[in-house]
């Protein structure tokens, strides 16, 4: 697998998300908690509609062994039709949703954002073909152009006092440019006569993925709408501010790793030995990269939230601590679930997601007397129950031994856990001695990074040396090629 694939996939995913983060950081300091909560609620509702507009067919295209133009045309029409229908429904029922959530001002945001839903639906299949062909460089260029232009306009509108509408405008412009650029270099002809018979396999596989994604949404994001419904838009804004840093990092890291890994593993899915030999190094690398980031973020959450969001960050820090702490485990769960999809058993992963969705529903729906922090903690902790199910399923379905996986990820978790404890101990030792929050964040982050590096070298010296040697070999190879 070429390192360039990871690089350009990273540029695409990181560029888009970093642009969104910069905009969010600026706007979050300007908007009131209520305004930010309203926009967050609108995005949470829009995300549900986008699940059904995408309906999993895009990933089915990436995974499919063979494709014909008629099947692609049929898949495109399904996506576009779903996007148009859902956009109309969102526009029509926006006011009722505003009343049901008791959130004044929600309806206008939903109605305008419905346009983004249609534009995104028109891009899903074309983007999936580029992913299938490993054309990550073009996808990255397209994403950077769209992110820069839409972000610049969004920031300008925010500084001019447009509030939540600056975020709405950025979302619409981003979707418009992405759609225009993806079709500027159209990878297929959507006007070819659709062959729905040939597309049945794509639709069937996509439906399995859709079911899983809806259940995943319930397990991870339904809490946003619950906080709005049971508490207020302001409380929701604190959760969104706190969890935003985690979710953006998770999307940036996992999108790169799984984006390339899923496409690569799908090509060798029929060779179980090769599949196993490729999977273990991938999950090891993912753990080494992602686990310290999430555990470190949980450790420095109080300082990071204040630095990023000002006074609002003080209320949001506890939510970041919760989601980032469990986010380390989410890395492993994502890879195990994606492996089940690669071997053609997404239904197994769907069943596990159904268990978690049911557990979350048990926490949030009965109306227990829980405050917002307790709601978030209990709903997030359901991962502890379902993660062992992922291990068991991969052992039975994909012949991946549990001990082999644990051995691959153990160094990252051991070093990351020790790093977390070191940062917490350092904060206690430095209490009152470093009043400047920026300096305190830098000191704690430095202690955490150093601790992790040293302990990773202690727990897995051969692994660290092999990675360093691989990097040196790539650098020497590029130097020879340049010479």
């Amino acid at each position: 697998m070429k390192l360039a694939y990871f690089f350009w996939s990273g540029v695409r995913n990181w560029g888009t998300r970093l642009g969104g983060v910069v905009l969010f950081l600026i706007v979050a300091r300007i908007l009131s908690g209520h305004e930010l909560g309203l926009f967050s609620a609108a995005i949470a509702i829009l995300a549900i509609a986008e699940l059904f507009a995408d309906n999993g067919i895009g990933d089915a295209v990436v995974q499919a062994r063979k494709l014909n133009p008629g099947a692609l045309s049929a898949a495109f029409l399904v996506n576009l039709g779903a996007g148009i229908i859902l956009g109309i429904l969102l526009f029509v029922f926006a006011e009722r949703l505003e009343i049901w959530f008791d959130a004044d001002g929600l309806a206008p945001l939903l109605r305008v954002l419905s346009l983004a839903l249609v534009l995104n639906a028109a891009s899903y299949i074309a983007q999936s073909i580029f992913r299938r062909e490993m054309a990550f460089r073009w996808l990255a260029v397209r994403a950077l152009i769209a992110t820069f232009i839409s972000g610049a306009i969004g920031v300008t509108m925010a500084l001019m006092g447009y509030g939540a509408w600056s975020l709405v405008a950025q979302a619409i412009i981003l979707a418009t440019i992405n759609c225009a650029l993806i079709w500027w270099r159209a990878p297929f002809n959507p006007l070819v006569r659709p062959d729905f018979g040939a597309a049945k396999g794509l639709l069937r596989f996509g439906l399995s993925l859709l079911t899983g994604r809806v259940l995943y949404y319930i397990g991870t994001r339904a809490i946003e709408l619950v906080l709005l419904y049971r508490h207020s838009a302001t409380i929701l804004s604190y959760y969104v501010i706190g969890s935003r840093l985690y979710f953006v990092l998770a999307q940036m890291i996992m999108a790169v790793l799984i984006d390339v890994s899923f496409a690569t593993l799908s090509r060798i899915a029929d060779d179980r030995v090769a599949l196993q030999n490729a999977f273990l190094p991938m999950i090891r690398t993912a753990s080494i990269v992602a686990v310290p980031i999430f555990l470190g973020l949980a450790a420095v959450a109080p300082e990071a939230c204040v630095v990023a969001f000002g006074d609002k960050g003080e209320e949001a820090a506890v939510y970041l601590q919760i989601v980032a702490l469990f986010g380390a485990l989410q890395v492993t769960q994502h890879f195990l679930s994606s492996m089940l999809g690669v071997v053609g058993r997404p239904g197994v992963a769907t069943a596990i997601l159904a268990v978690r969705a049911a557990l979350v529903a048990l926490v949030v729906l009965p109306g227990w007397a829980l405050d917002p922090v307790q709601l978030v903690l209990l709903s997030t902790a359901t991962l502890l129950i379902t993660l062992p199910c992922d291990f068991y399923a991969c052992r039975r379905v994909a012949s991946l031994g549990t001990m082999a996986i644990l051995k691959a990820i153990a160094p990252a978790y051991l070093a990351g856990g020790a790093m977390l404890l070191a940062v917490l101990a350092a904060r206690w030792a430095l209490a009152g001695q470093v009043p400047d929050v920026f300096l305190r964040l830098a000191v704690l982050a430095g202690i955490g990074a150093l601790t992790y590096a040293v302990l990773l070298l202690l727990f897995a010296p051969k692994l660290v040396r092999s990675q360093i040697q691989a990097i040196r070999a790539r650098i020497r190879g590029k130097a020879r090629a340049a010479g």
Side-chain angles (χ1 to χ4, degrees):
M1 180 168 38
K2 294 182 179 179
L3 184 63
Y5 292 154
F6 282 106
F7 173 77
W8 286 112
S9 181
V11 171
R12 176 173 72 93
N13 289 289
W14 285 53
T16 302
R17 270 113 184 157
L18 284 174
V21 167
V22 171
L23 178 63
F24 186 80
L25 289 175
I26 295 173
V27 176
R29 288 175 172 268
I30 299 173
L31 269 60
S32 67
H34 179 74
E35 289 176 316
L36 187 59
L38 282 180
F39 177 78
S40 301
I43 292 298
I45 295 170
L46 185 69
I48 299 174
E50 287 200 326
L51 288 176
F52 289 93
D54 177 19
N55 52 61
I57 298 179
D59 278 334
V61 168
V62 177
Q63 189 269 349
R65 301 292 186 271
K66 296 181 180 180
L67 292 170
N68 67 61
L72 291 175
S73 181
F76 168 77
L77 290 176
V78 170
N79 276 163
L80 183 60
I84 292 173
I85 292 172
L86 289 166
I88 292 173
L89 290 175
L90 192 61
F91 188 92
V92 171
F93 290 99
E95 190 169 348
R96 294 191 181 184
L97 288 170
E98 178 182 292
I99 294 172
W100 192 65
F101 282 108
D102 191 21
D104 293 339
L106 179 62
L109 302 181
L110 287 174
R111 285 176 173 149
V112 176
L113 285 169
S114 64
L115 177 59
L117 180 64
V118 178
L119 292 168
N120 288 335
S123 307
Y124 291 139
I125 299 301
Q127 180 170 297
S128 296
I129 295 174
F130 281 122
R131 287 175 55 206
R132 175 186 175 86
E133 296 174 351
M134 298 288 195
F136 295 113
R137 180 173 182 173
W138 164 242
L139 291 174
V141 171
R142 179 203 63 140
L144 289 178
I145 292 173
T147 300
F148 177 79
I149 295 175
S150 64
I153 294 174
V155 169
T156 300
M157 291 182 64
L159 294 175
M160 291 174 64
Y162 284 93
W165 287 104
S166 60
L167 292 171
V168 173
Q170 189 267 345
I172 296 296
I173 295 168
L174 179 68
T176 301
I177 297 175
N178 271 329
C179 185
L181 290 178
I182 204 77
W183 286 109
W184 180 56
R185 289 185 57 178
F188 77 105
N189 183 3
L191 300 180
V192 170
R193 183 176 180 179
D195 186 348
F196 290 96
K200 282 184 179 179
L202 298 176
L203 297 174
R204 191 179 304 112
F205 186 85
L207 181 60
S208 298
L209 292 178
L210 170 62
T211 304
R213 288 171 180 174
V214 170
L215 293 170
Y216 180 78
Y217 180 96
I218 295 172
T220 58
R221 292 199 61 183
I223 187 65
E224 297 175 28
L225 299 179
V226 172
L227 290 173
L228 176 67
Y229 182 78
R230 293 181 58 177
H231 295 280
S232 67
T234 301
I235 292 297
L236 172 60
S237 73
Y238 293 144
Y239 170 77
V240 170
I241 287 173
S243 63
R244 179 77 174 193
L245 292 176
Y246 159 73
F247 280 117
V248 168
L249 280 173
Q251 290 170 352
M252 290 166 63
I253 294 170
M254 298 311 298
V256 173
L257 295 173
I258 291 185
D259 200 10
V260 178
S261 300
F262 183 80
T264 302
L265 293 174
S266 294
R267 295 186 173 191
I268 57 173
D270 293 330
D271 187 342
R272 289 301 175 90
V273 175
L275 194 63
Q276 294 166 19
N277 291 337
F279 177 78
L280 291 176
M282 285 181 181
I283 196 171
R284 180 186 297 115
T285 300
S287 299
I288 289 174
V289 172
V291 168
I293 292 176
F294 295 136
L295 292 183
L297 190 59
V300 300
E303 292 79 14
C305 280
V306 172
V307 168
F309 301 107
D311 294 339
K312 295 188 183 78
E314 295 181 2
E315 298 288 343
V318 63
Y319 298 112
L320 176 56
Q321 288 177 316
I322 294 170
V323 296
L325 187 62
F326 287 98
L329 295 175
Q330 196 79 53
V331 175
T332 302
Q333 190 274 330
H334 270 304
F335 262 81
L336 297 179
S337 278
S338 67
M339 187 61 170
L340 294 173
V342 166
V343 298
R345 298 294 296 274
V348 177
T350 300
I352 296 172
L353 289 173
V355 172
R356 186 176 184 191
L359 292 171
V360 171
L362 185 63
V363 171
V364 302
L365 292 183
W368 308 112
L370 300 173
D371 62 39
V373 174
Q374 291 170 331
L375 275 172
V376 172
L377 176 61
L378 291 177
S379 64
T380 307
T382 54
L383 177 65
L384 295 175
I385 299 175
T386 57
L387 184 57
C389 299
D390 286 290
F391 275 98
Y392 177 76
C394 278
R395 183 170 67 85
R396 292 296 301 272
V397 174
S399 302
L400 284 169
T402 300
M403 292 307 299
I405 299 174
L406 290 176
K407 184 178 179 180
I409 65 177
Y413 278 97
L414 289 174
M419 173 197 68
L420 175 64
L421 295 176
V423 173
L424 295 178
R427 178 183 290 111
W428 175 80
L430 294 173
Q433 299 184 37
V434 186
D436 184 81
V437 67
F438 288 90
L439 179 59
R440 189 163 66 250
L441 175 60
V443 170
L444 294 177
I447 291 173
L450 180 62
T451 302
Y452 180 77
V454 171
L455 292 179
L456 186 63
L457 183 60
L458 177 64
F459 292 142
K462 292 182 179 179
L463 176 62
V464 174
R465 283 197 294 269
S466 67
Q467 294 295 322
I468 293 174
Q469 289 171 359
I471 293 173
R472 286 177 176 173
R474 292 190 186 103
I475 294 174
R476 286 196 296 266
K478 290 186 176 182
R480 293 194 193 100

